[in-house]
Amino acid sequence: MARLTISVATEKLRLAKPFRISGHVFEAFEVVVVTLGDGRHQGRGEACGVYYLGDDAAHMLAALDGASAAIAAGPTREELRAILPPGGARNAVDCALWELEAKRAGVPVWQLAGKPAPRPLLTTFTLGADAPEAMAETARGYAQAHSIKIKLTGDLDLDLARVAAVRAARPDAWLGVDGNQGFVAGQLDALIAGLLAQDVGLLEQPLARGHEAELEGLRSPIPLAGDESILSLGDVACAVGRYDVVNIKLDKCGGLTEGLLMAQEARRLGLRVMVGNMGGSSLSMGPSFVLGQECDIVDLDGPIFLANDRRPGVEYADGKVWSGPAVWGGAGKTPA
């Protein structure tokens, strides 16, 4: 690949209201946007980083600065995996390379990746942790949602009350819950029993990263998904015997290139695949939407929490998400 120009910018994407998960409250996402150009075409990538690993905007900017010469040399996406480690900085560059390559080839990214034409994807709509009645009210407000994901905090009685309130408000919806590392092993039997009583279909990351071995031998009738425990390709094999589902996020693994490899490896190992997001605008969702075509569970609702999203943006209708070619990865002109 010819030498590239690199533009790096940071943006603060404010949320419409604070969003609470176990151990953290978000009021805004500070993202890094990388634009790569060859004089005729441009490709873009956006990254939020990984907050629980200290992978914030400052860390991503430092990583990009240190790798700027290697990136300007025009690496392949596979070569980029050796230049930058998994994380937000690599994600932004990798996605920019995908879009740049697609524009050069005159084909959309999905075609470049050898995938069939994309379809709208059923996505979860997430409820931040709050009082049970407030979460129930928000769930009723998600009128179009067919799938809802509930954020829990590790307070067992309160969490089960949250789930029961949401189930009462939305008896029609598929429900999943996300522990975000908030529980300990001794709570799992009671947690799973309570979730079963509310017909919950997924339990995501109940225990802290580093405690995966405590899940071995657990016979949960509810599928378990690994998120914080499974960052990149090297972690996928560790899910076997502990998790049923691998949650792939491009900010964790370092881009669409590695995300597709993770999905392939998870399938090989007999695991189901989920795509999620660390937050961000529609520019972050576009690459994840391509990966989502490979996934059993899709959680790409990040833009609905923003005070203002990019235009053009991803579209939500009848509980599904659609990312058109103008959002990211199309072969036409790069949106301003």
Side-chain angles (χ1 to χ4, degrees), residues 119 121 275 287-298 300:
R119 67 196 189 284
L121 298 171
V275 62
S288 296
F289 180 77
V290 174
L291 175 61
Q293 304 295 317
E294 309 267 309
C295 295
D296 304 290
I297 302 169
V298 173
L300 296 181

Side-chain angles (χ1 to χ4, degrees), residues 28-280:
F29 297 121
E30 190 170 15
V31 300
V32 171
V33 178
V34 171
T35 304
L36 301 179
D38 64 2
R40 292 187 59 194
H41 306 284
Q42 289 186 334
R44 304 153 302 144
E46 177 186 285
C48 275
V50 187
Y51 71 93
Y52 54 85
L53 298 178
D55 187 28
D56 57 11
H59 183 270
M60 289 187 279
L61 290 174
L64 291 167
D65 183 62
S68 59
I71 297 168
T76 65
R77 288 178 279 103
E78 186 57 35
E79 288 169 343
L80 180 66
R81 295 179 67 228
I83 293 170
L84 285 168
R90 193 216 282 173
N91 177 31
V93 178
D94 178 77
C95 293
L97 284 173
W98 271 104
E99 187 175 57
L100 177 60
E101 188 177 345
K103 291 183 180 299
R104 284 173 160 173
V107 299
V109 164
W110 60 264
Q111 190 172 338
L112 190 67
K115 306 300 181 183
R119 67 196 189 284
L121 298 171
L122 184 70
T123 183
T124 62
F125 289 76
T126 306
L127 297 172
D130 205 336
E133 58 273 17
M135 295 177 73
E137 183 63 26
T138 303
R140 282 188 286 267
Y142 286 163
Q144 67 159 303
H146 300 294
S147 300
I148 294 174
K149 188 167 88 168
I150 303 168
K151 292 289 189 177
L152 306 181
T153 61
D155 184 333
L156 182 60
D157 290 339
L158 178 56
D159 282 334
L160 292 180
R162 288 165 167 152
V163 176
V166 173
R167 173 52 78 201
R170 290 299 306 273
D172 58 308
W174 177 93
L175 297 183
V177 301
D178 186 357
N180 278 120
Q181 309 185 79
F183 295 90
V184 296
Q187 295 174 298
L188 290 181
D189 287 344
L191 174 63
I192 291 169
L195 297 178
L196 272 177
Q198 302 300 333
D199 192 26
V200 169
L202 186 74
L203 170 55
E204 185 179 344
Q205 196 67 43
L207 305 184
R209 178 175 170 83
H211 290 257
E212 294 81 11
E214 296 175 41
L215 295 172
E216 293 176 6
L218 178 67
R219 297 186 179 276
S220 172
I222 300 174
L224 301 180
D227 180 1
E228 290 91 341
S229 290
I230 306 168
L231 302 179
S232 57
L233 182 61
D235 292 327
V236 175
C238 300
V240 176
R242 299 167 175 178
Y243 296 106
D244 308 290
V245 182
V246 172
N247 188 351
I248 303 171
K249 295 179 179 175
L250 302 192
D251 274 306
K252 293 189 305 179
C253 71
L256 179 58
T257 301
E258 183 133 345
L260 291 169
L261 291 172
M262 290 180 71
Q264 180 180 29
E265 177 66 0
R267 295 288 191 206
R268 188 186 71 81
L269 295 171
L271 300 166
R272 297 169 68 197
V273 184
M274 176 178 180
V275 62
N277 67 94
M278 299 299 300

